[in-house]
Amino acid sequence: MIDYDKEAEGYDAWRGGEPRAAAAADAVLSLLPRDMGALLDLACGTGIVTRRLAAARPGTRVTGVDRSVPMARQAQARLPGTVVLADARRLPFRDGEFDAVSSVWLLHLAPSDDDARAIVAECARVLRPGGVYVTTVDKALSHNVGSDIDAVMAARPRRPATDAARLVESYAAACGLRDAGRARFQGRGQGRSPRRTIADLRRGWFLTVPPGSELAEEFIARLAALPDQDRDRPDPVFTLRAFRKE
């Protein structure tokens, strides 16, 4: 698995920067209540999206949470005094403390279905009745844009998707959360080139292909043979789901 502590310094530049953050924030905001008083942004990372959420709703108290110290440090620089270091499965907040909770690009990282279920349960716990939870689903599917890179990487071992839409729906329903809408947004600057995909393999971005393994080197050789090594293929399009607490 990729080490987000080590990635923090260059994460924004490597993963789409402000254009991607703007697209994500706009999509999240389209699903959030306009009159919310308190928003929790879970797995806020460097705070690049969180800052936009806060700026768009100046009357809202926005709190960011991340478990990575270097990531949280970056977020704290953007949003002083509003970032908490915590595990998403055990949030240090009161029941019903927030009007809305967002978790962009989090559930796919859960080690197991039980961990993903625990995260959703915590989000539901800290939501007030009538509050809204917004999360990305099906992240791995979003990255398959039908490119020649996808054709090469199709043979890699697959890890069960803990953020599959049907599973997230079941986690939410078990916590009294009901469907409240959906949105999609373009992952600007995240279209892969062969050279960038090779770098991702070497950095451990593909969870089931350990860096330096025979399988990783096989994929690297096949990717290196593709044309247009530095041409980005199409950007992924991510899906957000919203759930309202009864």
Side-chain angles (χ1 to χ4, degrees):
M1 168 164 309
I2 197 161
D3 187 336
Y4 284 92
D5 287 357
K6 294 179 179 178
E7 290 287 310
E9 186 71 25
Y11 183 83
D12 292 338
W14 191 256
R15 291 294 146 186
E18 293 291 352
R20 182 189 74 150
D26 287 348
V28 170
L29 288 163
S30 75
L31 296 170
L32 294 178
R34 296 204 62 83
D35 59 347
M36 61 183 176
L39 166 66
L40 174 64
D41 189 29
L42 196 53
C44 67
T46 66
I48 193 170
V49 175
T50 319
R51 179 177 61 181
R52 288 179 172 274
L53 298 175
R57 302 287 173 85
T60 299
R61 173 174 61 88
V62 177
T63 302
V65 167
D66 206 275
R67 64 180 292 180
S68 163
V69 172
M71 284 285 196
R73 189 178 298 125
Q74 297 263 350
Q76 182 72 12
R78 286 184 161 119
L79 295 152
T82 67
V83 179
V84 176
L85 196 66
D87 189 310
R89 295 165 296 187
R90 294 178 295 277
L91 294 174
F93 304 112
R94 302 186 309 274
D95 294 0
E97 186 168 342
F98 296 94
D99 300 298
V101 177
S102 59
S103 63
V104 179
W105 301 305
L106 169 62
L107 295 181
H108 71 288
L109 296 173
S112 69
D113 289 349
D114 286 343
D115 291 292
R117 187 179 295 109
I119 292 169
V120 174
E122 277 293 89
C123 292
R125 180 185 66 78
V126 301
L127 268 180
R128 66 165 176 79
V132 174
Y133 172 50
V134 175
T135 186
T136 42
V137 297
D138 292 326
K139 184 176 186 291
L141 289 178
S142 300
H143 279 285
N144 189 339
V145 297
S147 71
D148 51 351
I149 295 171
D150 293 323
V152 168
M153 298 304 298
R156 72 184 186 276
R158 296 290 176 170
R159 173 179 176 268
T162 51
D163 71 334
R166 61 176 180 80
L167 290 178
V168 177
E169 289 168 2
S170 69
Y171 307 151
C175 301
L177 301 175
R178 300 294 175 245
D179 183 39
R182 61 198 70 198
R184 305 183 79 201
F185 66 95
Q186 187 177 26
R188 296 175 186 167
Q190 288 192 279
R192 292 187 174 122
S193 68
R195 200 180 311 278
R196 179 171 169 177
T197 308
I198 289 170
D200 282 347
L201 279 162
R202 288 176 171 153
R203 291 160 59 244
W205 195 263
F206 293 90
L207 300 181
T208 60
V209 187
S213 66
E214 183 177 340
L215 183 59
E217 293 306 312
E218 178 184 331
F219 283 131
I220 286 170
R222 293 179 63 191
L223 289 164
L226 293 178
D228 303 317
Q229 281 288 300
D230 293 308
R231 178 176 63 81
D232 289 339
R233 278 40 172 185
D235 287 332
V237 176
F238 297 109
T239 300
L240 286 169
R241 293 292 303 273
F243 302 92
R244 190 177 306 278
K245 185 173 181 178
E246 296 182 331

